[in-house]
């Protein structure tokens, strides 16, 4: 038989194995009506991205599922691709240009886009290559990009369809505006987080009166755009303001006083300043009360009020200036600390500005209905189940989606304007291609909308656009709906919910059946990993130090379904040690395997009379592990699956069966069992640790003509091999062996010396089991003579052990110096007794118990208990020697 190298070297193996897989096209899937389809679409990583531990966890889970289903006989497609990441990519390229001494505006739109495409071609596949290092078995031949020709066609098709259906519209509404990126953001892209701010109290003078209205605000700079003061009609404090007008002296503007029930009487003073162009609540109030909106800010959040001192100031600079101006006019009352939630750009983390702006929107309520029904009816299931409620709650309260972005990189909005049509409704032309002339007036003065679509507008089509939609391709008709989506909780709303809506709208079917939501990767203190905090762990470094299989096994085995994972570099030693254990065990098997003997009879049945108890036991344990592993994977309890095969291979196959097999290593039944269990276990472990399992499997005799373990069939569960009685018999033998070993250790019996034991049993079945399989106990516990019976008496000078209802005795005479051991025990009893006496005196001292720190007192009580238990054990041992 071919041998394995002495030590496992993942660096020598992994690149070579992956190259083989790619060259042989083992990852490729094609529609095959003779097989059931199984498809996963990868959450497309940004082209700006590099592999982080979140990617490692997410893609390892997907790869485990796809390899499992491929081996289970399904036509398994893992659809890969990358996202153009509009804002993120534009920011990266802009920074690169600044290093070269230029800016995007200096280049102009076309030249800038050429620079972005060039950057994408140079660096956009970096993360793809890193995913290959992780072992991902994506169908790389099908790799898509959210701005490739096919997906761009799908985006335009969807926009036109939704527009024609009345579900896309243009409106002047309050949106989230990023002054750094100079673009609109959707509500989901404006991440709210609590900040320590101030609440400012300001007086507004009432016209033709010496009275005033005090208003509390967190953003005094927006007062420059105030158009009214609003109070609750139920607030008795302000009844006198009916028909009143207040004056805003800084801009010399008169403000109406309006009444509305939406004002919170308890917040601040109960009086609300109304700034329609810079607050969503105020915007709705203005619409209802027919108030004008005054936009006081430019796109960079500087003040846009020519003629005033504040013009050109940054918003925060203007805040201080407005406060100072109010103080000079004696209108500033006070300020107090106020913690509140403020939106921040999800890309550059700049504080967003609510801003009135003409944008394109999607009406989401009509799209949400079918997507809600699909989940309620169980057509889509979330794992863990708790995310179903989160999804339903968000969908039931969904708001329209702002889809236009004021950047250059992305899908240009397929809207054109006629420069000649005086009727605005006729000047808008929505088309997938630029029209040669205006369909209304015939003018050729046609310009395209300068905005691009939100990145997620292409991503929400991902499950079907990657399969060729809007064309009815064979791939689309075979692989859609896809099977499973694996993603993080952060993008349930960004992506998952929208994909469900898109699937129901454009394919009249759910895009996937299961949604597995995994947790967040944190450091071992529980802090979320972040570059800014410096607590990240680079997956590529872990692969370099431990190997890809070690990374995959470690991160999966410690990640419970849907729970956050707490990582440190030391935790990857778990996977490395397991890989080494498997390698050494496989090397032992290969060194002792007679290939010709194994190939003669690859069929093995549970009724084979030549099978030993150890053979039957390990086969029973294997098929139980197989069944539990398979069920766990199917329920997305992937850590349970990993830990089950780990426990079987490490603690049962390696620790016990390999030792038991040495007794009859050259017997055909042992040879066959060694081979069968190892070969099938490699297949079970393969989805989690693909590289090492492929390497070992290639050295084994073949049961079939498959070129790779990843193409070999998933082992089928054989109930006939599961034998609970055999399990119980072997459990008894293992308990006896372990107990005798422990006894030898506690009495410091030299490894070279054999001991005599006597075992007193209560049941005849136990006697038969021990007598029939005495060779196992003698070999593994270094036992010379062994007596078993129901009437065994305790031999003189023997140690006693109890296992359930069985007593066993280890004769010590002749294997240790009895007199010397007695003296040692008596000396130790005396020493421990003195220590115990000192602790008892200390604990009897009430001054100590009451004044010493509680943890110190508890520590002393624990020491007292430990010493008492040690004395009992020492005295029992002393009795054994008499």
């Amino acid at each position: 038989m071919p041998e394995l190298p002495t030590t496992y070297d993942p660096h020598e193996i992994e690149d070579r194995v992956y190259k083989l897989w790619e060259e042989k096209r083992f990852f490729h899937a094609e529609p095959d009506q003779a097989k059931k389809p199984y498809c996963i679409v990868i959450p497309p990583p940004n082209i700006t991205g590099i592999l982080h531990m979140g990617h490692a966890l997410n893609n390892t889970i997907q790869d485990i599922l796809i390899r499992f289903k491929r081996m289970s006989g399904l036509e398994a497609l893992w659809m890969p691709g990358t996202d153009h990441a509009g804002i993120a990519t534009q920011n990266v390229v802009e920074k690169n240009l600044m290093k070269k001494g230029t800016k995007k505006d200096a280049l102009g739109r076309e030249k800038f886009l050429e620079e972005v495409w060039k950057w994408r071609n140079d660096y956009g596949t970096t993360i793809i290559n890193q995913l290959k290092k992780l072992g991902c078995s994506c169908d790389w031949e099908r790799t898509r990009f959210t701005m490739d020709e096919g997906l761009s066609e799908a985006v335009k098709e969807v926009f036109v369809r939704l527009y024609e259906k009345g579900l896309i519209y243009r409106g002047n509404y309050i949106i989230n505006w990023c002054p750094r990126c100079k673009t609109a953001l959707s509500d989901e892209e404006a991440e709210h987080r609590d900040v320590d701010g101030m609440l400012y109290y300001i007086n507004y003078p009432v016209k033709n009166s010496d009275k005033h209205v005090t208003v509390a605000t967190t953003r005094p700079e927006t007062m420059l755009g105030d158009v009214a003061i609003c109070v609750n009609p139920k607030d008795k404090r302000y009844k006198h303001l009916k028909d009143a007008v207040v004056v805003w002296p800084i801009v010399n503007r008169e403000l109406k006083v309006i009444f509305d029930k939406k004002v919170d009487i308890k917040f601040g003073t109960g009086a609300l300043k109304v700034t329609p162009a810079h607050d969503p609540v105020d915007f709705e109030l203005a619409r209802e009360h027919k108030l004008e909106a005054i936009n006081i800010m430019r796109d960079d959040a500087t003040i846009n009020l020519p003629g005033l001192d504040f013009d050109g100031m940054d918003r925060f600079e203007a805040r201080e200036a407005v406060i100072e101006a109010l103080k000079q006019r004696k209108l500033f009352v006070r300020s107090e600390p106020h913690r509140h939630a403020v939106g921040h750009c999800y890309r550059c983390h700049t504080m967003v500005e609510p801003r009135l702006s003409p944008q394109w929107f999607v009406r989401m309520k009509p799209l949400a209905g079918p997507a809600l029904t699909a989940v309620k009816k169980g057509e889509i299931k979330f794992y863990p189940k708790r995310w179903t409620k989160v999804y339903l709650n968000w969908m039931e309260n969904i708001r329209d989606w702002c889809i236009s972005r004021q950047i250059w990189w992305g899908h240009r909005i397929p809207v054109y304007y006629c420069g000649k049509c005086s009727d605005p409704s006729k000047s808008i032309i929505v088309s997938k291609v630029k029209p040669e002339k205006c369909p209304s007036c015939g003018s050729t003065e046609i310009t395209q909308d300068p905005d691009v679509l939100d990145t997620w507008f292409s991503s929400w089509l991902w499950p079907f656009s990657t399969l060729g939609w809007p064309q009815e391709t064979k791939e689309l008709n075979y692989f859609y709906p896809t099977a499973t989506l694996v993603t993080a909780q952060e993008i349930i709303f960004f992506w998952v919910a929208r994909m469900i809506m898109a699937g129901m709208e454009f394919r009249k079917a759910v895009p996937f059946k299961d949604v597995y939501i995994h947790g967040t990767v944190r450091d071992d203190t529980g802090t979320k990993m972040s570059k800014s905090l410096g607590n990240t762990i680079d997956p590529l470094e872990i692969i370099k130090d431990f190997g890809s299989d070690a990374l995959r096994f470690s991160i999966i085995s410690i990640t419970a379904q849907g729970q956050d994972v707490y990582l440190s570099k030391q935790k990857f030693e778990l996977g490395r040690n397991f890989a080494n254990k498997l390698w050494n065990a496989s090397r032992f098997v290969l060194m002792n395997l007679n290939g010709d003997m194994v190939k003669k009879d690859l069929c093995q049945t549970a009724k084979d009379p030549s099978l030993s108890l150890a053979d039957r036991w390990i086969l029973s344990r294997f098929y139980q592990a197989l069944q539990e592993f398979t069920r766990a994977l199917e329920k997305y309890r992937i850590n349970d699956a990993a830990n089950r095969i780990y426990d079987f291979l490490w603690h049962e196959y390696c620790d016990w069966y390999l030792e038991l097999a040495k007794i009859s290593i050259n017997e055909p039944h042992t040879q066959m069992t060694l081979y069968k269990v190892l070969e099938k276990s490699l297949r079970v472990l393969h989805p989690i640790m693909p590289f090492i399992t492929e390497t070992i499997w290639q050295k084994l005799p073949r049961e079939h003509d498959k070129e790779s373990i990843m193409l070999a069939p998933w082992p089928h569960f054989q109930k006939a091999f599961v034998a609970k009685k055999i399990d119980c018999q072997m459990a008894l033998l293992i308990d006896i062996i372990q107990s005798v070993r422990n006894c030898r250790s506690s009495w410091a019996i030299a490894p070279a010396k054999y001991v005599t034991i006597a075992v007193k049993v209560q049941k005849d079945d136990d006697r038969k089991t021990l007598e029939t399989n005495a060779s196992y106990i003698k070999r593994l516990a270094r036992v010379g003579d062994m007596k078993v019976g129901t009437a065994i008496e305790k031999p003189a000078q023997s140690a006693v052990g109890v296992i359930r209802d069985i007593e066993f005795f280890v004769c010590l005479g002749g294997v240790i110096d009895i007199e010397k051991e007695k003296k040692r025990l008596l000396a130790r009893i005396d020493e421990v007794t003195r220590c115990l006496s000192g602790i008892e005196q200390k604990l009897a001292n009430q001054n100590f118990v009451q004044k010493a720190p509680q943890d110190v007192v508890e520590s002393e009580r624990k020491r007292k208990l430990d010493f008492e238990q040690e004395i009992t054990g020492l005295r029992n041992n002393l009795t054994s020697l008499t």
Side-chain angles (χ1 to χ4, degrees), residues 239-298:
K239 281 188 175 182
H240 67 284
L241 292 178
K242 186 177 181 182
D243 300 324
V245 173
V246 298
V247 179
W248 185 219
I250 290 182
V251 294
N252 198 28
R253 186 184 304 139
E254 293 186 352
L255 313 179
K256 291 171 62 176
V257 177
I258 61 175
F259 293 81
D260 198 288
K261 293 179 181 179
K262 287 189 284 293
V263 176
D264 184 356
I265 295 175
K266 296 179 181 179
F267 179 76
T269 64
L272 175 76
K273 71 183 199 64
V274 181
T275 318
H278 297 281
D279 186 276
V281 174
D282 296 1
F283 176 76
E284 293 300 327
L285 284 171
R287 290 180 68 185
E288 292 177 23
H289 294 272
K290 295 181 173 53
L291 302 172
E292 67 172 328
I294 303 172
N295 194 334
I296 65 163
M297 289 191 193
R298 299 181 178 89

Side-chain angles (χ1 to χ4, degrees), residues 389-496:
K389 186 176 180 180
V390 175
Y391 166 88
L392 294 175
N393 182 63
W394 185 78
M395 292 289 280
E396 286 164 354
N397 297 280
I398 198 166
R399 299 173 61 182
D400 286 357
W401 175 15
C402 176
I403 57 171
S404 46
R405 298 291 180 269
Q406 289 66 49
I407 58 176
W408 289 349
W409 174 243
H411 294 279
R412 189 91 172 258
I413 291 179
V415 172
Y416 301 85
Y417 302 100
C418 173
K420 292 294 185 181
C421 284
S422 56
D423 185 347
S425 64
K426 294 182 179 180
S427 69
I428 296 178
I429 309 161
V430 176
S431 173
K432 292 195 291 182
V433 295
K434 183 177 180 180
E436 294 182 3
K437 60 182 180 180
C438 175
S440 297
C441 70
S443 170
T444 57
E445 192 178 317
I446 305 293
T447 57
Q448 188 172 0
D449 193 303
D451 291 353
V452 301
L453 289 162
D454 179 8
T455 295
W456 299 100
F457 196 86
S458 51
S459 300
W460 77 321
L461 314 178
W462 191 249
F464 52 87
S465 63
T466 52
L467 294 170
W469 190 91
Q471 303 301 316
E472 289 294 327
T473 64
K474 60 179 183 179
E475 287 83 3
L476 180 63
N477 289 318
Y478 181 74
F479 288 111
Y480 190 93
T482 67
T484 307
L485 179 76
V486 179
T487 190
Q489 63 191 59
E490 295 87 12
I491 55 175
I492 291 177
F493 311 133
F494 278 124
W495 195 45
V496 179

Side-chain angles (χ1 to χ4, degrees), residues 347-361:
R347 282 300 173 195
C348 68
H349 309 297
T350 300
M351 192 178 292
V352 301
E353 191 66 38
R355 186 170 186 253
L356 185 63
S357 175
Q359 301 288 340
W360 288 94
F361 296 85

Side-chain angles (χ1 to χ4, degrees), residues 27 90 244 760:
F27 305 154
Q90 179 155 319
K760 182 179 181 180

